Amino acid sequence: MMKTRHNLIFVILLMFFVLMMITPDILIPATISGIRLWGLKVAPGLIMGMIFIECFNYYIPADYTYGTFLVILSSLLCGFPAGALNCIKYQKNYNNNEWLTYIMPYCNISSPGFVINYIYYNYLSDNFNIFCYLLCVYLPTILLIIYEYVRNRTAAKCIRDSKRYIKSAQYMDFFTILNNSIDKMLTSVLKLGGYIIIFSCVCAYIQYFSHMIYMPYINWIVCGFMEITNGIYFASAIKSHLVKILLISAINAFGGLSTLMQTYSVIKDNVGVCIDIKKYIFQKIKLTICTILVTYLVITISSEK
């Protein structure tokens, strides 16, 4: 079984390599597009977020309830994959940390800067009020966090009652912490660039072959599942305003396979643990469904006014 899987992966990689060599007209523009996306859209907002999280978790307030609230807030503001890293690093400092594993996928979403600058002003500003759209993006996350808080009553009680149980760590001055944060940030951000370029190229080939077989709607489904920015770009071509807003919101909530790989890589490199991928995807599906429902209700209510 293992040998069969090994051979299958080898054949797929060989076929993809040959395809890249004979189609430089697709490969090179897609690579450049991925580099631009990483350098102009992702890295500028992520660099300070990654540095901040490393320093923030060292100086987090001693009160667990107050600290948990700050971790959730900072995770939502930093966006993925820094949001997931923030939750995982914080939970490792505590004995009672089960609840944070349930809400981590909900906190690992697009930052307000990405939502406003990339999604809203590029694709939705003519169809939707910005405050209504921010409500569609972040209200489902808040609702699911509250739901997990109520459902996991044992973990919730630990949050209310627990004191600070930090694992013993050697004291470091701020400049040492900052230097370590920059080192980890550079490794993580460069690796994220590699993932973004890879998925940008894969989406370019999907787009090319879908047009060859006259099935362009495959772009909306496959690319939306694989990579958030390309999926949103293809979904923006839909003529129906309602369907376009719902699909873009769903793609943004799920995040795509690229975001999953980036999150997995960052957490494994910086924390040394592996997330449960099946559980993560299940939680993301819940967030996607909740986002579609909330977005539909907001659109319906706003259109009646």
Side-chain angles (χ1 to χ4, degrees):
M1 183 68 180
M2 186 66 67
K3 186 176 180 180
T4 303
R5 182 184 302 176
H6 180 88
N7 292 336
L8 178 61
I9 295 175
F10 170 75
V11 171
I12 293 174
L13 290 176
L14 180 61
M15 292 173 60
F16 193 69
F17 176 76
V18 173
L19 179 64
M20 290 190 299
M21 293 302 100
I22 63 177
T23 56
D25 55 320
I26 300 175
L27 177 67
I28 295 175
T31 302
I32 294 174
S33 176
I35 293 173
R36 286 177 177 172
L37 174 62
W38 170 71
L40 299 178
K41 297 292 184 180
V42 177
L46 192 60
I47 288 173
M48 287 306 300
M50 296 286 287
I51 296 175
F52 167 80
I53 285 175
E54 291 292 332
C55 300
F56 180 79
N57 273 279
Y58 188 83
Y59 293 104
I60 196 74
D63 181 77
Y64 190 20
T65 304
Y66 181 51
T68 302
F69 171 77
L70 290 178
V71 165
I72 293 173
L73 179 62
S74 62
S75 298
L76 295 177
L77 293 176
C78 289
F80 61 80
L85 177 62
N86 199 23
C87 289
I88 297 299
K89 285 184 71 68
Y90 183 72
Q91 77 173 5
K92 284 197 70 178
N93 293 332
Y94 295 91
N95 294 329
N96 302 316
N97 54 29
E98 182 182 5
W99 185 65
L100 285 171
T101 62
Y102 291 104
I103 68 168
M104 181 272 287
Y106 307 140
C107 295
N108 194 45
I109 61 173
S110 301
S111 66
F114 182 84
V115 171
I116 295 172
N117 296 323
Y118 181 78
I119 300 178
Y120 180 78
Y121 283 119
N122 283 337
Y123 305 113
L124 299 177
S125 58
D126 295 333
N127 314 119
F128 214 27
N129 180 278
I130 185 171
F131 298 105
C132 290
Y133 189 64
L134 288 174
L135 187 67
C136 296
V137 173
Y138 294 104
L139 180 60
T141 292
I142 296 172
L143 292 176
L144 287 173
I145 289 175
I146 294 174
Y147 166 76
E148 296 292 351
Y149 182 86
V150 174
R151 187 172 72 92
N152 297 279
R153 294 186 179 276
T154 303
K157 186 176 186 301
C158 291
I159 293 174
R160 291 194 303 268
D161 299 341
S162 64
K163 303 293 183 180
R164 183 169 174 79
Y165 295 102
I166 296 294
K167 293 182 179 179
S168 59
Q170 183 180 3
Y171 172 78
M172 293 185 291
D173 60 82
F174 176 75
F175 294 104
T176 302
I177 297 171
L178 182 61
N179 185 66
N180 293 340
S181 301
I182 293 174
D183 288 341
K184 293 180 179 180
M185 176 275 298
L186 289 173
T187 301
S188 299
V189 170
L190 287 174
K191 183 171 288 188
L192 295 184
Y195 280 111
I196 291 172
I197 293 170
I198 289 172
F199 280 94
S200 178
C201 293
V202 171
C203 288
Y205 283 105
I206 292 173
Q207 181 184 11
Y208 176 76
F209 286 113
S210 65
H211 284 299
M212 284 184 60
I213 60 178
Y214 302 102
M215 299 176 67
Y217 60 86
I218 292 180
N219 293 333
W220 310 341
I221 301 173
V222 180
C223 290
F225 173 77
M226 295 190 68
E227 207 276 320
I228 181 173
T229 52
N230 285 284
I232 290 173
Y233 171 76
F234 293 128
S236 66
I238 298 175
K239 294 182 178 181
S240 171
H241 295 327
L242 176 61
V243 176
K244 179 172 72 173
I245 295 172
L246 289 176
L247 188 55
I248 287 177
S249 298
I251 292 172
N252 180 59
F254 184 73
L257 183 61
S258 175
T259 300
L260 170 61
M261 297 299 293
Q262 294 172 38
T263 301
Y264 184 89
S265 173
V266 168
I267 291 176
K268 186 176 181 180
D269 287 347
N270 288 270
V271 189
V273 299
C274 296
I275 61 174
D276 188 335
I277 294 180
K278 292 182 179 179
K279 182 178 178 181
Y280 179 90
I281 293 177
F282 178 69
Q283 300 290 76
K284 278 294 186 179
I285 292 174
K286 288 168 62 177
L287 177 60
T288 303
I289 294 173
C290 186
T291 298
I292 292 174
L293 295 176
V294 169
T295 303
Y296 182 79
L297 289 175
V298 171
I299 294 174
T300 303
I301 294 173
S302 61
S303 62
E304 292 178 353
K305 293 183 179 180

